[in-house]
Amino acid sequence: MMQKIPFNVKLFSSIFLCLSVFAAQLTTAQELTVMGNAKAYKQLVEKDSLQQMVELNKWLSSAVFDLSYATKNNFTQTKLYPAGNQTFVRLLVAKALQKVEQDLSHAGYGLKIWDAYRPYGVTKKMWSLVGDERYVANPAKGSGHNRGLAVDLTITKDGKEVNMGTWFDNFSDTAHHAFKDLPEDVARTRQLLRTTMEKNGFKALETEWWHYSWPNDRQYGVLDLSLKKLRKTAH
């Protein structure tokens, strides 16, 4: 005969309480940390200079800047940044893009920059419109753009965009790297961009031929600093 084990209410309550506290602590630990305080950012840079955000147009000598989100000429049809050609990336990203620019220049090409650093608040607005992780970062995770690690760009010839098959922010399979039904010249220039970016340390996003990210090897955090605040701290 199986012995009946008495139910201890106090013991059960204690175990349940401990598990609840542990679960709450785990959830908190997994929550995304977003830095929106300029003073905290400056302190971070003082400890690790490679965390620094720099103004990209001061690092590239010949690139064309056409920051689409600084105008209404983008998929949101809303101006999300101040007008101008000011955008930012982490220091190592800027140095790598210098090398990309030099490599393309030797082949007779240049760069056009559409977007780089994106404040976290902008990503939240985009997600509310698209909500598809193939094309817009989920704010629950943050993005490479929010961390100053991602850049949206293309190749130019004599200052004009080379035909890449689609414009940027084209949310279709035509923009995927795996899409093969392309004219030979388009396939060739897409491959040139990818080869050059990967040679210099960037990683391609398979669903967007224009999007490349730097590895998050220094635990770069998500930023929600305005361009105005970064302008006061960047070099």
Side-chain angles (χ1 to χ4, degrees):
M1 181 176 179
M2 183 177 294
Q3 182 179 4
K4 187 176 180 180
I5 301 174
F7 181 73
N8 189 319
V9 175
K10 289 185 178 180
L11 177 61
F12 177 80
S13 298
S14 298
I15 294 173
F16 180 79
L17 179 61
C18 289
L19 289 174
S20 298
V21 171
F22 176 76
Q25 291 175 338
L26 182 62
T27 300
T28 301
Q30 291 176 340
E31 287 178 355
L32 184 69
T33 300
V34 179
M35 181 177 290
N37 183 285
K39 183 176 180 181
Y41 163 72
K42 289 179 183 178
Q43 291 173 343
L44 178 66
V45 173
E46 288 173 0
K47 294 178 181 178
D48 180 1
S49 62
L50 294 181
Q51 295 277 347
Q52 184 179 6
M53 296 283 283
V54 298
E55 191 173 346
L56 188 54
N57 63 5
K58 293 182 178 179
W59 286 74
L60 301 180
S61 61
S62 61
V64 177
F65 285 79
D66 181 14
L67 304 181
S68 296
Y69 300 119
T71 72
K72 292 184 178 181
N73 186 28
N74 60 70
F75 79 95
T76 71
Q77 298 183 337
T78 303
K79 181 179 175 182
L80 299 173
Y81 302 149
N85 65 348
Q86 190 173 56
T87 189
F88 299 86
V89 293
R90 300 285 182 176
L91 180 59
L92 290 180
V93 180
K95 290 182 176 181
L97 285 172
Q98 275 189 330
K99 295 178 181 177
V100 170
E101 184 181 56
Q102 292 168 4
D103 288 347
L104 288 175
S105 177
H106 294 155
Y109 294 96
L111 280 177
K112 174 177 275 193
I113 308 296
W114 282 315
D115 196 29
Y117 168 65
R118 186 178 297 164
Y120 181 70
V122 173
T123 290
K124 290 175 70 175
K125 290 179 183 178
M126 291 180 173
W127 180 255
S128 70
L129 294 169
V130 177
D132 187 333
E133 289 193 64
R134 293 176 300 169
Y135 305 111
V136 176
N138 187 334
K141 303 175 183 177
S143 75
H145 286 290
N146 301 151
R147 293 175 170 85
L149 301 176
V151 61
D152 295 331
L153 76 179
T154 190
I155 289 176
T156 63
K157 183 75 172 180
D158 299 324
K160 297 180 181 180
E161 290 179 33
V162 172
N163 182 14
M164 300 292 264
T166 74
W167 194 60
F168 113 104
D169 274 356
N170 178 286
F171 302 144
S172 73
D173 62 355
T174 312
H176 296 190
H177 282 285
F179 188 79
K180 301 301 182 184
D181 188 17
L182 296 169
E184 184 178 343
D185 62 322
V186 173
R188 184 172 59 251
T189 48
R190 281 194 188 186
Q191 187 58 43
L192 172 63
L193 179 59
R194 181 168 187 166
T195 300
T196 308
M197 294 296 288
E198 290 181 341
K199 170 189 171 185
N200 288 288
F202 292 91
K203 182 179 179 180
L205 178 64
E206 292 302 327
T207 55
E208 298 178 353
W209 61 259
W210 56 84
H211 177 105
Y212 290 87
S213 292
W214 188 258
N216 192 10
D217 54 355
R218 302 185 70 80
Q219 298 301 308
Y220 297 99
V222 170
L223 301 178
D224 198 20
L225 295 168
S226 68
L227 301 187
K228 183 177 180 180
K229 288 182 178 178
L230 279 181
R231 188 182 303 126
K232 294 179 180 179
T233 61
H235 296 278

